[in-house]
Amino acid sequence: MVAHSQMVARRRRSGFARGVVRTAILLAILTIVLYPLAWMVGTSFKGQTEIVSNTGLLPTEFSPGNYTEGWNHFDVSFARFFLNSTMVALLTVVGNAASCLVAAYAFARLRFPLRGFWFAIMIGTLLLPQHVLTVPQYILFKQLGWVGGDWPYVPLVVPQFLATEAFFVFLMVQFMRGIPRELDEAAKIDGATPFGIFRYVILPLSRPALVTTAIFSFIWTWNEFFRQLVYLSQLQDYTLPVAMTLFIDSSGQSSIGPMFAMSVLSLLPVFLFFVAFQRMLVEGINTSGIKG
Amino acid sequence: MAVTTANQPSVHASQAPGASVKRRRPRRGQQREGVAGYVFLSPWLIGLMVVTAVPMLLSLYISFTNYDILSPWSEVEWVGLANYERMFTADPSYWRSVTVTISFALIAVPLKLAVALGVALLLNKAWRGVGLFRGLFYLPSLIGGSVALAIVWVNMFNRDGAVNGFLRLFGIEGKPWVNDPTYALETLMVLAIWQFGAPMVIFLAGLKQVPTELYEAASVDGAGWFRKFRSVTLPMLSPVIFFNLVLETINGFQGFTAAFVLSNGTGGPVDSTLMYTLNLYIKGFTEYEMGYASAMAWVFLVAIGIITAVFFSTGRFWVHYSDGDR
């Protein structure tokens, strides 16, 4: 009896010690993970000489000049690049949300010939590497006159209105499967057509899936680089990622400060999304992946 | 090919809830639903044709030509297998990019998954602040793929960057790692590993599903932590490990942004960061050799297909699905 209680006590004590060790390890990892971000912000406030001499986290002399200088570093101001990025991202959000919802409704709820076949194709396109598709798409879009037109964003935006982000279609199909079928049946008995069911049952109930799609569409488009690099060729049309590469071309010591300042600013919207929707971002994406 | 490999995970999914309801509905309604189905599907179908199928077939054709996007179609010549032949026998930069890509994926993916699993195990047991840790560990996955972060990363590993600043604390004089052909790719691997948060979140979700009875039973049998990890956690987690492995490998092969930023789009220093997709970009969009780039794209596609197929066929031997659930 005594031996037993001693053992329990020892186990409890070692459990506590283990908890401390565990937390210490986690904090150490967290420091490593967050250090680059802190260093980025700190360096963006360092003056020109300090960037070379001070590799530490904090500037000894706090100088916000990098931000004003970076903003107007090129012939076109960063306001324009922000605007372009925002426009592409918002149009992508609208396109993805609308077109993927409609396609998902067909897959999740309607019975039509060859549905299984198309569904398999849709899943297959999930695995298609985007870079591989960009070469042939560029050739075709060029033939269609979409590349470098008056509004050069056509090849970036139009595909998003055609439910080409299979990931979001899949996510929404998974979500709609959780909506009770009885609601459809009840609406059907009341004389609703498939369109009515979509409009009055599925659409209002799919809001959470739409929000997830919208947020991830925005963040992914904001960060997307390859396609924007390929399709945008005029400075005034550049989005943020493409504009940022101009700093690499001109990477003398003098432009490092402004470059860091603009890096911070261009990551800020994503960071704000992260703060506002942290829980949803972390949970939303993983459950859709393995719930299947 | 992607279709056949993808079929496996979707077997379960393609059985819609209504599929088992064998109730005959009035024929007119069924027909109407069929029409409605195609109406709702039409944006996706058009997208499939215009954005995926037609370009792919077009590029398959172009891969057998000398198409260069600048000259008119009338000057396009059929060159047979010449592009493929050049790729495999006469283009050292091609093999260089294959080696770079494979070594990147081979090293970065397992390390990233190991870190993700390790941290997930630590977090799974922690009782306070799990949500906060999880969120902050996930943050790099949200921003790590951007140009802005890649720029910061490259500077961090440069001569006057934070890494060398840290080494100086110990009296070690570092070097500009990103300009050194031996280390440039390594800095990109570290960047990939830094983004361990996404697979970690998936591991955490998987760990939650492991029944605690199994651990209790193992404890009763006198199993230590390592034995429990090897005989309970790993097998129970194997479907999630498999999922992460496939996903991260395919992603790893497609790394482009960071390599582009580090080398200013050249794949340097000395081709050490010439990832396959970067090589594809250089050939197609700076040298305008669209025929050759199309051939490269198709080989890449087939390679990804084969790798996925290999994963799925070997998965049978080590992926454990409990109670025949799948």
Side-chain angles (χ1 to χ4, degrees):
Chain A
M1 205 52 210
V2 176
H4 178 73
S5 69
Q6 258 172 357
M7 215 170 77
V8 168
R10 197 185 309 145
R11 195 179 294 166
R12 198 171 292 152
R13 217 175 314 131
S14 78
F16 177 74
R18 231 182 280 165
V20 171
V21 171
R22 188 180 297 128
T23 311
I25 297 173
L26 284 173
L27 282 174
I29 298 171
L30 190 64
T31 312
I32 298 171
V33 165
L34 294 184
Y35 194 86
L37 301 176
W39 187 72
M40 165 179 77
V41 177
T43 305
S44 76
F45 287 108
K46 286 176 192 165
Q48 224 192 92
T49 47
E50 231 190 293
I51 280 178
V52 186
S53 59
N54 175 9
T55 56
L57 201 55
L58 294 170
T60 45
E61 213 172 312
F62 184 85
S63 61
N66 288 329
Y67 283 84
T68 46
E69 211 200 303
W71 193 261
N72 296 307
H73 197 79
F74 305 112
D75 294 340
V76 174
S77 128
F78 260 79
R80 183 66 189 259
F81 304 141
F82 263 94
L83 213 65
N84 292 340
S85 263
T86 309
M87 180 186 63
V88 172
L90 287 182
L91 285 171
T92 302
V93 166
V94 173
N96 272 341
S99 66
C100 295
L101 186 76
V102 168
Y105 173 62
F107 282 129
R109 283 301 212 254
L110 300 174
R111 304 169 88 190
F112 51 89
L114 293 178
R115 185 182 68 171
F117 171 74
W118 293 126
F119 190 79
I121 300 257
M122 192 273 288
I123 295 293
T125 58
L126 268 177
L127 294 175
L128 278 182
Q130 180 222 326
H131 303 83
V132 165
L133 276 174
T134 304
V135 173
Q137 276 169 3
Y138 183 87
I139 297 170
L140 181 73
F141 294 168
K142 181 120 181 151
Q143 298 304 316
L144 294 172
W146 289 3
V147 177
D150 293 336
W151 198 68
Y153 307 104
V154 175
L156 294 175
V157 169
V158 167
Q160 314 302 324
F161 279 84
L162 298 171
T164 45
E165 289 284 355
F167 177 78
F168 294 124
V169 179
F170 179 67
L171 184 137
M172 287 182 176
V173 168
Q174 293 295 87
F175 182 84
M176 284 179 195
R177 286 188 174 144
I179 300 175
R181 279 228 155 213
E182 287 76 22
L183 296 175
D184 298 33
E185 300 294 332
K188 208 176 278 174
I189 289 165
D190 290 345
T193 61
F195 301 94
I197 294 172
F198 175 73
R199 170 70 187 79
Y200 295 105
V201 179
I202 301 294
L203 179 63
L205 289 176
S206 295
R207 251 186 65 186
L210 282 172
V211 173
T212 308
T213 300
I215 292 172
F216 275 98
S217 288
F218 188 91
I219 293 177
W220 287 350
T221 314
W222 194 263
N223 287 341
E224 202 273 326
F225 174 53
F226 189 68
R227 288 167 63 230
Q228 297 176 9
L229 173 74
V230 165
Y231 288 117
L232 303 177
S233 52
Q234 304 293 320
L235 182 62
Q236 74 269 15
D237 299 331
Y238 278 7
T239 51
L240 279 171
V242 188
M244 290 300 298
T245 61
L246 295 175
F247 278 119
I248 313 171
D249 295 330
S250 66
S251 86
Q253 294 292 1
S254 65
S255 63
I256 289 183
M259 175 167 81
F260 268 65
M262 291 306 105
S263 289
V264 172
L265 285 187
S266 76
L267 289 174
L268 203 59
V270 178
F271 186 73
L272 292 178
F273 266 98
F274 170 75
V275 173
F277 301 106
Q278 198 229 98
R279 235 190 129 72
M280 217 193 78
L281 285 172
V282 176
E283 270 162 24
I285 215 69
N286 77 76
T287 45
S288 66
I290 52 170
K291 231 165 42 183
Chain B
M1 64 78 222
V3 177
T4 48
T5 53
N7 251 338
Q8 254 150 322
S10 71
V11 174
H12 184 68
S14 63
Q15 237 131 40
S20 56
V21 185
K22 280 271 190 293
R23 188 159 43 87
R24 283 222 70 77
R25 258 175 279 169
R27 179 158 271 175
R28 228 187 95 236
Q30 225 169 40
Q31 224 169 35
R32 198 168 59 180
E33 202 178 308
V35 173
Y38 273 94
V39 170
F40 277 99
L41 204 62
S42 55
W44 177 81
L45 271 175
I46 295 169
L48 180 72
M49 294 303 157
V50 177
V51 183
T52 311
V54 170
M56 281 179 71
L57 292 176
L58 184 69
S59 79
L60 183 62
Y61 166 73
I62 285 173
S63 75
F64 297 107
T65 69
N66 64 354
Y67 182 59
D68 66 357
I69 215 141
L70 301 172
S71 35
W73 279 106
S74 53
E75 282 173 30
V76 174
E77 273 170 45
W78 179 267
V79 295
L81 289 169
N83 287 327
Y84 293 91
E85 214 181 298
R86 177 180 152 205
M87 200 185 303
F88 290 124
T89 59
D91 183 0
S93 89
Y94 179 80
W95 285 111
R96 184 70 199 146
S97 69
V98 170
T99 326
V100 167
T101 310
I102 290 178
S103 51
F104 177 82
L106 225 51
I107 298 172
V109 172
L111 284 177
K112 182 180 184 179
L113 291 185
V115 173
L117 181 58
V119 176
L121 287 170
L122 285 173
L123 274 186
N124 193 41
K125 292 275 180 57
W127 59 99
R128 239 173 286 165
V130 178
L132 186 66
F133 273 119
R134 195 179 54 164
L136 290 173
F137 286 148
Y138 185 72
L139 181 59
S141 298
L142 277 185
I143 58 177
S146 66
V147 171
L149 197 106
I151 285 177
V152 172
W153 200 264
V154 167
N155 279 280
M156 206 166 74
F157 281 91
N158 215 332
R159 191 163 47 88
D160 302 312
V163 172
N164 284 343
F166 179 74
L167 291 177
R168 252 168 240 153
L169 294 179
F170 304 96
I172 304 168
E173 193 49 45
K175 49 169 107 187
W177 308 97
V178 286
N179 296 328
D180 187 325
T182 328
Y183 296 106
L185 191 64
E186 266 87 338
T187 65
L188 299 185
M189 291 175 186
V190 180
L191 173 58
I193 297 163
W194 183 65
Q195 301 169 58
F196 68 87
M200 177 206 74
V201 166
I202 296 171
F203 278 136
L204 269 174
L207 283 171
K208 262 191 208 143
Q209 317 229 326
V210 181
T212 45
E213 298 95 81
L214 291 181
Y215 290 113
E216 283 157 19
S219 290
V220 170
D221 291 345
W225 70 269
F226 182 73
R227 192 60 211 255
K228 279 188 222 166
F229 173 72
R230 214 183 65 88
S231 306
V232 178
T233 312
L234 274 187
M236 292 306 285
L237 215 54
S238 57
V240 182
I241 296 174
F242 180 72
F243 176 84
N244 270 335
L245 191 63
V246 174
L247 216 67
E248 293 295 333
T249 306
I250 294 179
N251 282 343
F253 276 121
Q254 295 178 65
F256 172 80
T257 304
F260 182 95
V261 169
L262 186 145
S263 64
N264 198 9
T266 64
V270 209
D271 285 351
S272 60
T273 62
L274 189 65
M275 295 288 285
Y276 198 101
T277 49
L278 184 52
N279 200 9
L280 187 73
Y281 170 81
I282 293 171
K283 289 291 181 324
F285 296 102
T286 64
E287 293 170 8
Y288 300 114
E289 294 190 77
M290 281 290 172
Y292 190 57
S294 295
M296 281 179 68
W298 270 93
V299 172
F300 191 60
L301 194 65
V302 171
I304 295 255
I306 290 172
I307 289 163
T308 315
V310 167
F311 270 132
F312 275 97
S313 57
T314 56
R316 270 185 303 153
F317 301 111
W318 62 272
V319 179
H320 166 87
Y321 292 110
S322 49
D323 38 271
D325 193 35
R326 290 210 184 193

